[in-house]
Amino acid sequence: MNDHNVAALCEAIAGAVPTRECIVAPGRRWTWGETSERTRRLAVVLQDAGLGLRADPAEVAPWESPHDHVALYLTNSHEYLEGMLGAWKARTAPVNINYRYVATELAYVLRDSGARAVIVGGRYVDVLAEVLPDLPEVQLVLQVDDGSGAALLPGAVPYDQTLADAEPREPTGLSPDDRYILYTGGTTGMPKGVLWRQGDFLATCLGVSGSADELLAIATKRDGLRSLPSAPFMHGAAHWNAISTWVSGGTIVLPHDPSRLDPADVLETCQREHVTSLQIVGDAFARPLLDELRRGSYDLSALRFLLSGGAILSATMKAALVEELPSLRIVDVLGSSETGRQAVAGAETASFAPSEAAAVLSADRSRLLAPGEDEIGWLAQRGRVPLGYLGDPDKTAATFPVIDGVRFAVAGDHVRWGADGRLELLGRDSVTINTGGEKVYAEEVEQAITSHPAVADALVVGRPNPRWGQEVVAVVAATVDAARLSDEQLRDHCRTTIAGYKVPKAFMWVDDVRRSPSGKPDYAWAREIVTQKASEPDARNT
């Protein structure tokens, strides 16, 4: 079994192609050699502060980490990328922080992760300052000058100057057993840290195989891979894309504005930097990019791949993108923080071809289902799966069940396994609606709604109904300049692809559907909208 460490692979690639571009950011370019030196310097800073490996990785429980942890509280930037790599070179583990958190949420993740260092962008120091007095375990704060003009936080040290003052040295002891940690919400309730061995993470999430010599030879020859991750690095979809680019010897390109999705900025950057691979998150990213493609004129002849993961990319959206860019190859990946990549959909379909390690478990998680069985099951992964959730043995046992001696990872996705061997994704258990004894999966209804050309986006939730228990309701935004679509017209459209009991009883029209910066749906907001609009005239169409 080939087993690798992210930092060790990057060190080898930097030694082989030191003058190749590694990171391209607004106004700045770093070669592989320069990035290697800067991340070595960061590792030294962390180690000199007393951070590093605390226990033998083979001796700790599956839900325990042997490392000190470094929180990355930043928008997309070269410092975020350096933070990941430098932390691993110090044999610490980076922890992703959602930069939209308020103080109580930030305090929870910093405390839950036991972070001993924080790399923070200047624009977020006020929130960090609120929580630091109650977090004595945080020993080091490195503050990044992000152009916000924020004063240096008391007790913090300036990131660039601190790195410049450090004496770089070659990292030692790097191991495939070192941990990769990804904080996620999903079905876990409060955010939880998913613990992977780095060797398993690289194999399962990024498809890294082959010996170190083989990977180095491929990376050395593969000049010209230039990837732009458009989603925030604080979520796995984007930084997985960045790490995948790195271990292939490629260049990571960042747009001008890291704080939001600016379609013109993304496409202009792709054109200027000859980007070959663009990462997005489902329809929420694809639609504004498609609208901008239709408005503007861009030379995207270098762009060969569009990679989507983390949210549904509908078949209609895929077709529209290929119509605009006929040479584009769309890779639509199904997976999660707890499972890695499990399946891939084609450019013209919404169904997925499962990976060899994917499986479908019965509703009670006691047995495996076979293709063509009628039962709706849980999408699962076997083989090289995570070790567990940081600090939580109970959730570890629930999410990683053992069946006939085989350990599985179950993230919470409902699927139907067709007789043709393809998977139909139905949606997350956490957003399933029970109406009149029938289960309705929100994502399935959302796809039906957004397949109408006059609909820009939609979220589907349940609301109480005295007769059915719950009824299906949709929060919908229309496309720009679309003719007014009646609720009944949209219902008729939905009935062409989904059963009548799944069709929303009401549509709540809004200017924009709220999603996270990574494109993830904000179902709590959608439920609030439904509650607020329920008493408004003509809000209900039952």
Side-chain angles (χ1 to χ4, degrees):
M1 179 178 71
N2 291 307
D3 227 5
H4 302 289
N5 174 282
V6 178
L9 287 175
C10 289
E11 281 281 301
I13 293 168
V17 292
T19 61
R20 181 183 296 173
E21 284 187 334
C22 183
I23 303 173
V24 175
R28 301 287 297 273
R29 295 174 185 270
W30 287 267
T31 65
W32 270 88
E34 291 167 337
T35 301
S36 177
E37 180 180 305
R38 285 178 64 85
T39 51
R40 286 183 178 188
R41 288 177 185 272
L42 176 56
V44 167
V45 170
L46 296 172
Q47 290 170 331
D48 287 352
L51 278 67
L53 187 69
R54 290 296 178 189
D56 184 342
E59 298 296 326
V60 298
W63 52 87
E64 296 176 339
S65 169
H67 307 280
D68 287 320
H69 299 157
V70 180
L72 304 181
Y73 189 17
L74 304 156
T75 54
N76 287 19
S77 59
H78 68 92
E79 293 94 352
Y80 199 111
L81 297 168
E82 291 171 351
M84 288 193 300
L85 193 51
W88 284 322
K89 288 185 180 181
R91 299 201 76 186
T92 62
V95 171
N96 54 309
I97 300 291
N98 188 324
Y99 54 70
R100 298 180 74 191
Y101 282 161
V102 297
T104 53
E105 295 167 315
L106 174 64
Y108 168 82
V109 176
L110 292 177
R111 187 176 294 110
D112 188 76
S113 66
R116 293 192 62 209
V118 181
I119 304 176
V120 59
R123 70 189 70 184
Y124 303 119
V125 293
D126 288 345
V127 183
L128 182 61
E130 290 186 52
V131 304
L132 278 180
D134 297 322
L135 297 168
E137 62 272 21
V138 176
Q139 301 295 305
L140 174 66
V141 176
L142 288 162
Q143 184 169 325
V144 171
D145 181 359
D146 56 10
S148 63
L152 192 66
L153 188 69
V157 295
Y159 179 87
D160 276 321
Q161 187 59 54
T162 303
L163 262 61
D165 293 341
E167 189 64 34
R169 56 177 176 258
E170 184 178 355
T172 59
L174 303 176
S175 166
D177 287 327
D178 290 347
R179 303 303 195 248
Y180 163 73
I181 302 177
L182 176 59
Y183 261 76
T184 183
T187 58
T188 64
M190 294 297 286
K192 303 298 294 182
V194 182
L195 284 167
W196 290 81
R197 289 180 64 255
Q198 283 199 29
D200 294 336
F201 160 70
L202 285 166
T204 301
C205 300
L206 307 186
V208 175
S209 59
S211 68
D213 289 342
E214 290 169 336
L215 293 173
L216 182 59
I218 293 170
T220 302
K221 294 176 182 176
R222 197 177 181 182
D223 193 10
L225 172 61
R226 299 172 72 82
S227 299
L228 192 155
S230 67
F233 288 143
M234 66 182 181
H235 292 289
H239 73 244
W240 287 10
N241 178 253
I243 297 168
S244 179
T245 299
W246 263 352
V247 299
S248 300
T251 304
I252 300 168
V253 179
L254 302 178
H256 178 74
D257 185 355
S259 64
R260 64 190 182 95
L261 176 67
D262 181 335
D265 181 17
V266 169
L267 296 178
E268 286 167 2
T269 305
C270 287
Q271 175 179 268
R272 182 179 64 253
E273 296 296 337
H274 305 289
V275 167
T276 61
S277 175
L278 173 61
Q279 177 269 337
I280 66 170
V281 181
D283 282 7
F285 277 52
R287 186 174 293 281
L289 288 169
L290 177 63
D291 291 342
E292 179 60 29
L293 275 172
R294 289 169 171 168
R295 279 193 299 266
S297 177
Y298 298 93
D299 178 3
L300 300 179
S301 54
L303 187 62
R304 299 196 296 272
F305 295 96
L306 182 75
L307 311 178
S308 180
I312 288 174
L313 183 62
S314 63
T316 53
M317 186 58 63
K318 293 176 190 178
L321 287 165
V322 172
E323 183 178 352
E324 293 296 320
L325 300 171
S327 62
L328 190 67
R329 179 182 174 188
I330 296 176
V331 181
D332 186 12
V333 178
L334 174 61
S336 70
S337 308
E338 294 89 346
T339 61
R341 296 179 177 178
Q342 294 178 278
V344 178
E348 298 178 354
T349 178
S351 64
F352 291 81
S355 68
E356 291 184 7
V360 180
L361 304 187
S362 59
D364 61 3
R365 305 189 185 189
S366 66
R367 63 186 181 88
L368 293 174
L369 299 181
E373 285 196 54
D374 244 2
E375 183 177 342
I376 292 173
W378 299 99
L379 181 60
Q381 184 89 341
R382 58 189 153 201
R384 304 182 75 166
V385 298
L387 299 167
Y389 287 120
L390 179 64
D392 199 328
D394 293 334
K395 280 199 170 81
T396 295
T399 304
F400 305 99
V402 178
I403 301 175
D404 296 331
V406 178
R407 192 163 180 267
F408 292 86
V410 184
D413 290 306
H414 289 287
V415 293
R416 184 181 288 110
W417 202 344
D420 61 357
R422 296 187 68 85
L423 299 171
E424 179 189 357
L425 178 64
L426 299 173
R428 278 279 165 120
D429 184 57
S430 56
V431 291
T432 298
I433 302 159
N434 289 288
T435 179
E438 297 279 5
K439 284 188 175 182
V440 176
Y441 301 99
E443 290 168 306
E444 181 185 20
V445 182
E446 290 162 5
Q447 288 188 73
I449 296 169
T450 57
S451 66
H452 195 290
V455 174
D457 203 356
L459 294 182
V460 169
V461 296
R463 72 177 175 192
N465 179 289
R467 179 179 180 185
W468 306 112
Q470 284 185 305
E471 62 184 9
V472 181
V473 183
V475 179
V476 186
T479 54
V480 177
D481 299 326
R484 172 65 180 176
L485 183 69
S486 73
D487 290 359
E488 199 53 45
Q489 286 174 318
L490 189 49
R491 281 197 193 88
D492 289 342
H493 173 78
C494 290
R495 289 188 185 101
T496 64
T497 55
I498 57 176
Y501 70 88
K502 300 178 184 179
V503 174
K505 294 287 191 266
F507 296 98
M508 308 298 186
W509 293 88
V510 295
D511 292 335
D512 294 290
V513 168
R514 183 183 296 179
R515 292 177 178 267
S516 74
S518 68
K520 296 293 181 69
D522 189 339
Y523 286 110
W525 167 83
R527 293 186 188 98
E528 289 178 8
I529 292 295
V530 168
T531 300
Q532 291 169 7
K533 287 184 174 286
S535 59
E536 295 179 5
D538 302 320
R540 294 175 64 97
N541 293 301
T542 56

